[in-house]
Amino acid sequence: MLTLATDDGGGPEIFASVQGEGPSMGMPVSFMRLSRCNLACVWCDTAYTWRFEGDNRPHRDGQTYDRKANQVTLGEDEVAARIMALGQNRLVITGGEPLLQAPALAKLLDLLPDIGVEIETNGTIKAPPRLDIRIDQFNVSPKLAHSGNPAELALIPERLDAYATDPRAWFKFVIAEPSDLDEVLALRERYRFRPGHVFLMPEGTDSETLRAREKWLAPLCVEHGFRMSDRLHIHLFGDTRGT
C-alpha cells in the first residue's frame, strides 16, 4: 500500500503535466506525490504532505493540515492503473520524501515495466536494491541551513558520497539569498559533484519572487559553473496542487 497526498478534490495526487524543475524541465510526465517527510523545511511548498495537526516542526506560514483530508492510501494495483491511464512514458515520484515508502514503490514499479522513472529525494535515504534498479534518474535536493533542518539530519555524508558518484543523480539546491551559495560551494568541494550535474534554483512560490531572485542567481551560476533551474510550473499554474 502507498500513502499519497491528496489533490484539491480529495483524490490521490496523480496527474500528467510537464516537469517544472531540474534536468528534465519541460518534459511531459506523469506525477505521483507521496505523503510524509523525514525533514521539515520552513519554506516547503508542499507542507500538506507532512505538517499535520500536532506536528510542531516550524513552517513559515504556521499552517497545519488535517491528516485524513490530506492523505489517501491505495494499493499498488490501483496506483499503477491510474498512472497508466495518463498515457505518459515517464513517471516522476515526488513528495514529501518518496524513499520512506521504498518497499511499496518497488512493488508499484514491478507493475510499470516499460516506464522511465525519476525520484525526487532530499538525499538522506538509500533506495534498496529492488527499487534502485528501476530508477533512471535521482533528483537530489540536499537541504541547506536556511531550510531550518539541522545538518546532522539533512546532510548525511554517506548518502551524499553515494549520490555524488552515481551518474543517475542530479543535484538541485534551493537558493533564497546569495550567501546560500557559500554552502553549496563547500559541499561541491567536499563531495566532488559531477560537472554539469548541479542546479541552483530560486526559492519562491510566485513568479515575481522567482524572477527577482533569478536576476542575481544567473550571474552566480555563470561565475561558478552551475546550471540554473526555473520553476516552470509556478509560472504556468501558480502554487497549486496537481500541476
Side-chain angles (χ1 to χ4, degrees):
M1 302 289 283
L2 286 159
T3 303
L4 295 98
T6 58
D7 58 23
D8 289 330
E13 199 171 356
I14 300 172
F15 59 97
S17 189
V18 292
Q19 171 63 290
E21 303 173 352
S24 304
M25 187 171 66
M27 290 182 62
V29 297
S30 297
F31 274 94
M32 175 179 65
R33 187 177 302 281
L34 299 182
S35 190
R36 306 203 313 261
C37 193
N38 60 326
L39 298 181
C41 297
V42 297
W43 38 254
C44 178
D45 61 352
T46 58
Y48 61 90
T49 65
W50 59 269
R51 201 170 193 267
F52 303 118
E53 293 173 356
D55 189 330
N56 294 319
R57 291 179 292 176
H59 191 271
R60 64 185 174 193
D61 67 12
Q63 183 175 356
T64 58
Y65 298 85
D66 178 73
R67 184 185 294 271
K68 288 185 179 180
N70 289 277
Q71 277 187 348
V72 60
T73 301
L74 295 176
E76 292 85 2
D77 289 349
E78 170 70 11
V79 175
R82 288 174 178 263
I83 292 170
M84 288 187 292
L86 295 173
Q88 303 300 316
N89 60 15
R90 192 169 186 87
L91 171 66
V92 176
I93 304 171
T94 188
E97 173 48 58
L99 291 178
L100 291 174
Q101 302 187 54
L105 281 179
K107 293 179 182 178
L108 170 67
L109 295 182
D110 284 345
L111 302 173
L112 299 170
D114 298 319
I115 193 169
V117 179
E118 297 181 23
I119 281 194
E120 299 192 330
T121 176
N122 59 33
T124 63
I125 299 174
K126 180 181 179 180
R130 183 181 170 190
L131 176 60
D132 183 81
I133 198 171
R134 287 299 318 279
I135 306 305
D136 299 289
Q137 182 173 309
F138 287 98
N139 300 326
V140 185
S141 183
K143 306 310 178 188
L144 305 178
H146 70 87
S147 71
N149 295 287
E152 61 267 24
L153 296 180
L155 303 172
I156 300 174
E158 179 185 4
R159 296 272 44 83
L160 292 177
D161 275 327
Y163 281 121
T165 57
D166 190 332
R168 300 170 297 169
W170 301 77
F171 291 85
K172 181 182 63 185
F173 291 95
V174 176
I175 305 295
E177 301 289 344
S179 59
D180 296 333
L181 185 62
D182 294 338
E183 195 172 350
V184 179
L185 293 171
L187 290 169
R188 182 172 70 175
E189 177 70 18
R190 163 65 177 82
Y191 294 103
R192 302 294 182 184
F193 302 127
R194 290 172 178 268
H197 277 237
V198 179
F199 287 79
L200 304 184
M201 184 181 74
E203 190 276 317
T205 54
D206 62 84
S207 289
E208 183 179 6
T209 299
L210 294 174
R211 291 298 186 228
R213 288 175 170 166
E214 285 169 348
K215 287 181 179 179
W216 52 256
L217 186 57
L220 291 175
C221 288
V222 172
E223 179 181 356
H224 295 285
F226 295 118
R227 297 173 68 176
M228 190 173 81
S229 174
D230 201 355
R231 305 196 73 205
L232 183 61
H233 55 296
I234 297 293
H235 301 303
L236 293 173
F237 310 111
D239 184 21
T240 55
R241 303 192 193 193
T243 57

